[in-house]
Amino acid sequence: MTTLTLAKALNEGLRRSMEDDAKVLLMGEDVGKLGGVFRVTDGLQKDFGEDRVIDTPLAESGIIGTAIGLALRGYRPICEIQFDGFVFPAADQIITQLAKMPLRSLGTLKLPVVVRIPCGGGIGAVEHHSESPEVYFTHTAGLRVVACSNPADAYTMIQDAVRCDDPIIFFEPKRRYWDKAEVDLAAPGLALDRARVVRPGRDVTLVAYGPMVKTCLEAAAAAEEDGRDIEVIDLRSLNPLDAEVLTESVTRTGRCVVAHEAPVFTGFGAEIAARVTERCFYHLEAPVLRVGGFSTPYPPSRLEEHYLPDLDRVLDAVDRSFAY
Amino acid sequence: MTAHAPRGADAPPELVQLLTPEGERVEHPDYDIELTTEEVRSLYRDLVLVRRVDLEAVALQRQGELGLWASLLGQEAAQVGSGRALSGADMAFPTYREHGVAWCRDVDPVNLLALFRGVNHGGWNPAEHNFHLYTIVIGSQTLHAVGYAMGIQRDGGESAAIVYFGDGATSQGDVNESFIWASVFNAPVVFFCQNNQWAISEPLEKQSKIPLYKRASGFGFPGIRVDGNDVFACLAVTRAALRNARQGQGPTLIEAFTYRMGAHTTSDDPTRYRLANELEAWKLKDPIERVKAYLFKNELADQEFFEKVDAEADALGKDVRDRCLALPDPPPGAIFDHVYAGAHALLDEEREQYLTYLAGFER
Ligand SMILES: Cc1ncc(C[n+]2csc(CCOP(=O)(O)OP(=O)(O)O)c2C)c(N)n1
């Protein structure tokens, strides 16, 4: 066991992936000497060289487009998008090309490209540095979309993502980059497409992913003092969605609350609510409730504490669930 | 793959310069300008005041009063020179570092600080100052400037648009598309690229194999490189380009060859990627010192003048600091304001729900 921050765990995972497979490449803005603005790629260029850790021109469409070409040639590129809000110049390449080319080739082409995106708010940043763009990608067939939430998982998830033959959007919760935890560097980890019950409980199922997992665990700990036993699920994979874990849990608890940072309106919580309702309708004691951002752009940082669902807002939703 | 040599030790060729780093006035066959003593003094004053605002902002960030600051240290001449070339009717489209241009457009510096403090996303009225909002996404604003210029073209009248961007931005698709549009529509726009040598940690060599001003010729319009630390040259070249644009001669790309003396932003650590000797070489080209030397040598200003400007800078620094510290946090309901021009039922419902929820804590 080693104690690592989430950023360092990703760094170790990337290092393992590059050691294991000479075809794995890293590419992005400032990933080399600087080690990325969050230092996730720190030291990798020094050890693997400029041909494998590629500082790219400042052009996101270029990063994804050339990664597609490299993948067609047998490489496994891992692309870093510097911040969530800057993935949109690359959206065309991701949505019209990366996601659809394998199908267009009737399965003869594989595009094992990982697009790493630091996501979410809570770090006091300026505009476009705190967004949660997951549903643009979960809505795009052909992409796998995953979100890590803690160091141990991040370490194995990034390696599994690199090994996967499908294109993957890999979200990293930037306000959790500096969180530390024990990581077993030899442990295999849970399969990439599975959700995890991170805290078992009887009374209500709290569903989260990425940065909100920690908030939900804190909410569950606080609720314990009031005698409520909350189960917390870390989805890990948004597409595909592990509906089995959800069904099993909500069938038991009868209540479900979903929390994410992105706006609630047509957010990922809507998908969870619909799935859970279809699968657990006769077990539900209350409608599935959603907690998340408002139907507004991410606000200036002096207001972000109001925008981001905190422990109180999560518990408020839990209370509302019990009020039915 | 070779490591890059430290850049900027020698002035590159093909550089329009009217004032040497030593403060000597030099002539240029195409871009000479006549400046009155008053004008030179006023440019000097702008440079000093703009630098002071910037330094104050960096200090405020260090003290936790701003979330972030993108310093313009070293780029004052490029910004003040080009900014002072604008007429009142010209429209400027900045990135996030154009504090000196904002100054020239009479935008209160506290508005700039408010944005980096996280109070708002841009608190000035662009139409009032003919200075657009700061744009964080690299390169996006270049297309807006071209569109605006196409509007000017349709409306008639003597004005132009100018758009600011960095060397890194020249790699973006949007910037290249903006070159194409400007060229084929002959739009009255000036592309003002501040080549400060770095895009965060990426040196210019990661963006371009040719000098940036040469890009323009491939798109069919003129490009010119100017000493970006020479406020006279920046003023002269930008004036000429704007005049050409206003007179229907289409776009110009100006590459202001300068240097980012500080970190990319206050979150950046340049010691990880750049060499100290590069910084030292550029210190000798300081944009303020050379104007000062020129004024002094030619006895156009005395010690009293410089002291007066310094005192003014001190007062401005203090005023900006005091007003920054006094900026209140916006009320929670502000999250919901201005998202739409018209009524929006879902937003009204969310606002109502959230404010009721908050009120619950006060009881
Ligand atoms: C589309 C996009 N990608 C990435 C970023 C992150 N980023 C902010 S500034 C910057 C470097 C910009 O360099 P340059 O264009 O040379 O301007 P400078 O900051 O040096 O003035 C980067 C990569 C961004 N803001 N927008």
Side-chain angles (χ1 to χ4, degrees), chain A residues 29-30 58-60 82-83 85-87 89 129, chain B residues 70 75 95-98 135-140 165-170 172 194-202 207 260 264-265:
Chain A
E29 295 154 12
D30 304 291
L58 208 179
E60 286 77 9
Q82 203 157 72
F83 280 91
F86 309 139
V87 69
H129 289 71
Chain B
Q75 300 179 219
T95 66
Y96 43 78
R97 204 190 289 284
E98 267 65 82
T135 300
I136 308 263
V137 180
I138 299 294
S140 291
F165 52 99
D167 40 297
T170 62
Q172 283 288 355
Q194 287 169 83
N195 174 4
N196 67 8
Q197 315 293 323
W198 293 95
I200 311 187
S201 76
E202 307 287 9
Q207 319 291 343
R260 193 193 80 204
H264 170 69
T265 65

Side-chain angles (χ1 to χ4, degrees), chain A residues 179-197:
Chain A
D179 286 0
K180 283 188 180 162
E182 298 255 287
V183 179
D184 179 353
L185 296 175
L190 186 63
L192 200 57
D193 57 359
R194 299 295 310 281
R196 189 199 299 274
V197 177

Side-chain angles (χ1 to χ4, degrees), chain A residues 30 51 55 60 295 302 306, chain B residues 1 172 201-202 350 354:
Chain A
D30 304 291
D51 282 340
D55 271 324
E60 286 77 9
S295 302
R302 293 267 162 167
H306 289 288
Chain B
M1 290 184 192
Q172 283 288 355
S201 76
E202 307 287 9
E350 288 184 6
Y354 185 60

